[in-house]
Amino acid sequence: MNEALLVILFFLVLCIWLGLQARKGKNMSLEQWAIGGRGFGSLLLFFLIAGEMFTTYTFLGASGGAYRSGMPPALYAFNCFYFVIAYWLLPPIWRYAKKNNVISQSDFYDKKYNSPALGVLVAVISVISIIPYLIMQLKGLGIIVSEASYGSISPNVAIVVGVIAITIYVTASGMHGVAWTAVIKDIMILTVVVFMGIYFPLHYYGGIQPMFEAIDTAKQGFLIFPEQGLSISWFISATIMTALAFYMFPHMLAGVFSAKSPKSLRWNAGVMPIYQVIIIFSLFIGFSAILQVPNLQGAEADLALFKMAKMSFDPWFVGVIGASGAMAALIPSSLVLTATATILSKNVYKVWRPNTSDDQLQRLSRMLVPVISIVTLYFTFNGGESIFTLYLMAYSFMAQLFPALFFSLWKKNPVTVQGAFAGMIVGILIVVYSTTSGTTLATLFPSLPQAIQDLDVGLAVLFINIAVTLGVSAVTRKTSIGMKENHKQASGMEKLVK
């Protein structure tokens, strides 16, 4: 067993221990287990939300995207629209959740529209979207641990061990375990990524500016947006769409519900853009690898970080890097497990068995964690291209939940249950068709200006969703008002007859 693997195992054991310690002194009611009893202050909430935002993508995807495609995907990773939306949107969501004892994302739609059926639809859309997301995190975990351990442990074994670890502490401690482990994970990622992002440009190029000058000389045009494809209009539309979808994911809203107050949510929205600067250092790692480890093709580009680390550092430090990357997969995965188990018990099972108590739901949620883990493991090893296709659709799927939530926060909600159903279903069907067929605005409207052709198709689908949602709502509201008027007239006639 090499030094790197020993370091990784040490931090894995530390995560399990912290996760189990988190439940001490807590009466694990459903609210405590699922959303931490709504007791997380600004600092703990900061680590929890950051724990979700900085995933295996921070390690593999961001640096790999910079290495592979240059500036467009690099800047796409640095998306501050998230926090503008969070500042205004999350406090009213939290206040409603607190007042109405909402503990899951599907719960919110159920109670806002007084429709358990809508809650079930949202739960189904969410699970379909979130399981591929979880699977991709686990695949990233396997790659990271295998690379960092110099191949002494296979990706599949690393995935199984990681899933066992998070299943243990999530089942025992729920959201409390997730939050505690997120603290050490964020500290490690901050330290490791910032260090490498500064060290590699200085060590191999003499500085950040000389690095970019060398890349621009070797690969002209690599550091600017192209005229078409991944252009400026694509960048703006794609970042807006992902920002609108981001807080629709059930694990993100679970983190929001765990806040102690709306003030802590606004504080985090103000501070988090500073923390996101960490992604810049991850991009520097990818850029520094372009000329040092050239010609990485396909999926190998995502390993640029580890190629640089192995040729620059001793094995024990590569192990520290690997442990940080492993936790970047495990902590978001544990949050996903908690949220998925909650919505399946609270918003699917309870609709079927409405008399189920909160205590029974709490026990069921915890029992579902290992079940979801086993199902996820199966699809991780056997999912194939279908899982990857679902993963590509995940953000576009979750964006379809935004209109119904957004309009529900208005003083007078213009959306009816029927409108919310219609908008979500139409949006989902168009996303499935456009993704599987490769349809874009460019293929649909080749004569339009290039800036419009390059717009993200997911944002276009969202506008269709909004139109359908409001249109169907207007029709069904008139029908509902007409039925009420007819009922009043019929009641009046009955009184006259009597």
Side-chain angles (χ1 to χ4, degrees), residues 46 53-54 58 62 74 77-80 83 189-190 193-194 197-198 271-284:
F46 172 84
M53 296 195 71
F54 299 100
T58 309
F78 193 75
N79 185 355
C80 283
F83 313 114
I189 284 187
L190 179 64
V193 172
V194 170
I198 294 172
V271 171
M272 200 66 76
I274 300 172
Y275 187 80
Q276 203 182 26
V277 170
I278 187 177
I279 291 184
I280 293 177
F281 293 98
S282 186
L283 301 176
F284 286 169

Side-chain angles (χ1 to χ4, degrees), residues 94-153:
W94 183 92
R95 281 191 285 267
Y96 181 84
K98 171 75 172 177
K99 183 179 178 180
N100 295 275
N101 194 33
V102 170
I103 65 168
S104 75
Q105 165 237 40
S106 300
D107 229 10
F108 186 91
Y109 291 85
D110 176 348
K111 294 186 178 180
K112 266 289 186 181
Y113 288 90
N114 192 26
S115 173
L118 183 63
V120 172
L121 174 64
V122 170
V124 170
I125 294 171
S126 298
V127 171
I128 289 173
S129 303
I130 209 169
I131 293 299
Y133 173 89
L134 179 56
I135 288 169
M136 291 302 161
Q137 291 298 318
L138 295 178
K139 287 189 174 183
L141 167 71
I143 293 168
I144 289 169
V145 174
S146 182
E147 282 293 318
S149 66
Y150 295 84
S152 60
I153 185 170

Side-chain angles (χ1 to χ4, degrees), residues 441-456:
L441 291 179
T443 59
L444 287 173
F445 308 105
S447 60
L448 288 177
Q450 191 63 48
I452 298 177
Q453 290 186 39
D454 291 342
L455 290 174
D456 185 89

Side-chain angles (χ1 to χ4, degrees), residues 7 17 97 242 245 297 359 375 380 434:
V7 172
W17 182 79
T242 53
Q297 302 296 323
D359 188 52
V375 171
T380 301
S434 63

Side-chain angles (χ1 to χ4, degrees), residues 146-178:
S146 182
E147 282 293 318
S149 66
Y150 295 84
S152 60
I153 185 170
S154 72
N156 287 354
V157 171
I159 290 169
V160 171
V161 172
V163 168
I164 291 172
I166 59 175
T167 300
I168 290 170
Y169 71 75
V170 167
T171 303
S173 305
M175 186 64 79
H176 288 284
V178 179

